[in-house]
Amino acid sequence: MSKGTKYVSKVPDNEGFIQWSAEENLIWQELFTRQIACIKDKACDEYHEGLAKINLPSDRIPQLGEVSKVLKATTGWECYPVPALIGFGEFFRLLSEKKFPVATFIRSREEMDYLQEPDIFHEIFGHCPLLTNPSFANYTEAYGKMGLNATKEQRVFLARLYWFTIEFGLLDTPKGLRIYGGGILSSPEETDYAINDPEVERKTLDILDVLRTPYRIDIMQPIYYMLTKVSDLDEIRKFEVDDIMELVAKAQMLGLHEAKFPTKKAS
């Protein structure tokens, strides 16, 4: 998580409504139009099914209540407005309560292609369609519960599990590689890179392996972990918290894999 941000989230009014400017709505429209075309044959079927259920507007930023209405009806989740950056403790707590944290700001035009902070486009477009999928939603809730009582050091290792599944997960399907990670789905450059770049390492997901793999938030990922379908997340979710923490302890003992990038900003 970056230590600072220039962005300030908007505060919803008493009815939960956020007033977005014409320019902010235009930025959403441009991001949405570009990314819909980009992911057409690259996002997983489960994502496209969720996108159809949520039916996001293309010409304006959706209100959180609109998205929450669909999420509550399908999996019991809701969108929860948060500042641009929140701490790990608050993050885990919200997920454990089936509240998906959404920073209520949208990127500036100068950062259309990339920004380190997760904005409302990343959160809503990248993640919320799959929160209508029971396997993805239940896994996300279970992940929140994993981190509730974890130490600061344990949470650093758990962050890698979130990163390589919910943010940057791939599927190896009979139709070919497909994307389910929101960090890829909300980025046109990474969408193409993750699927097509011949130099990328794509590995079958192993939890201990993931926990030991360093990453950086400010580069294209040199490695991705694959499942075969979103419902494979059920197998991870079935692990008891103690079992996950035992794997975290083993990862701490074994140490990290050698980073595939300069380690200055490793996580």
Side-chain angles (χ1 to χ4, degrees):
M1 181 177 290
S2 54
K3 295 181 180 179
T5 177
K6 68 179 182 180
Y7 292 101
V8 178
S9 290
K10 292 175 177 283
V11 179
D13 66 19
N14 292 334
E15 283 72 46
F17 187 87
I18 296 174
Q19 186 67 49
W20 299 99
S21 71
E23 171 66 7
E24 288 168 328
N25 283 323
L26 183 59
I27 288 173
W28 170 277
Q29 181 178 2
E30 293 176 13
L31 290 169
F32 184 94
T33 301
R34 178 177 69 175
Q35 198 59 16
I36 279 289
C38 188
I39 67 170
K40 181 179 179 182
D41 299 318
K42 299 179 180 70
C44 65
D45 290 343
E46 295 93 333
Y47 175 85
H48 283 297
E49 290 165 4
L51 195 62
K53 290 175 183 176
I54 292 182
N55 192 27
L56 295 173
S58 62
D59 60 342
R60 62 172 175 83
I61 301 172
Q63 295 296 324
L64 298 191
E66 296 177 277
V67 181
S68 292
K69 183 178 180 180
V70 180
L71 296 183
K72 287 179 180 178
T74 52
T75 59
W77 276 74
E78 64 181 295
C79 296
Y80 190 86
V82 297
L85 296 174
I86 60 174
F88 272 131
E90 178 72 354
F91 178 71
F92 284 118
R93 182 186 68 80
L94 289 172
L95 294 185
S96 73
E97 296 174 356
K98 302 174 78 168
K99 297 174 181 177
F100 193 72
V102 177
T104 48
F105 73 91
I106 195 162
R107 68 195 69 183
S108 67
R109 191 165 291 282
E110 292 72 33
E111 295 187 294
M112 289 284 278
D113 293 332
Y114 172 79
L115 77 165
Q116 291 191 21
E117 305 93 322
D119 71 343
I120 195 167
F121 180 77
H122 167 83
E123 303 290 28
I124 296 294
F125 186 92
H127 292 300
C128 285
L130 272 170
L131 280 172
T132 66
N133 177 278
S135 295
F136 186 88
N138 291 338
Y139 170 75
T140 307
E141 179 188 5
Y143 177 81
K145 292 177 178 178
M146 289 176 200
L148 275 182
N149 297 311
T151 66
K152 180 180 178 180
E153 292 74 19
Q154 289 170 330
R155 286 173 174 178
V156 172
F157 279 81
L158 284 176
R160 299 188 182 101
L161 185 59
Y162 190 92
W163 186 262
F164 288 111
T165 56
I166 292 173
E167 288 292 356
F168 287 90
L170 289 180
L171 301 180
D172 186 12
T173 80
K175 299 178 182 178
L177 288 173
R178 293 293 184 268
I179 303 163
Y180 76 95
I184 312 175
L185 289 167
S186 58
S187 166
E189 188 176 3
E190 190 122 17
T191 293
D192 180 69
Y193 171 84
I195 295 293
N196 296 320
D197 194 289
E199 301 301 318
V200 168
E201 185 175 358
R202 304 174 184 91
K203 301 175 66 176
T204 299
L205 188 143
D206 174 84
I207 298 175
L208 181 59
D209 195 21
V210 165
L211 293 173
R212 299 181 63 203
T213 300
Y215 67 86
R216 275 177 55 172
I217 67 173
D218 59 343
I219 61 172
M220 305 291 275
Q221 302 305 303
I223 182 170
Y224 299 93
Y225 286 91
M226 302 182 298
L227 303 173
T228 60
K229 54 189 179 301
V230 171
S231 60
D232 289 348
L233 291 170
D234 292 334
E235 297 306 311
I236 304 176
R237 181 176 56 85
K238 289 176 183 177
F239 276 78
E240 297 291 337
V241 172
D242 288 346
D243 295 330
I244 292 290
M245 290 309 169
E246 186 176 323
L247 287 173
V248 168
K250 188 172 183 180
Q252 289 175 306
M253 179 188 68
L254 293 172
L256 297 181
H257 295 309
E258 183 178 353
K260 299 178 181 295
F261 48 78
T263 58
K264 182 179 179 180
K265 298 182 180 180
S267 296

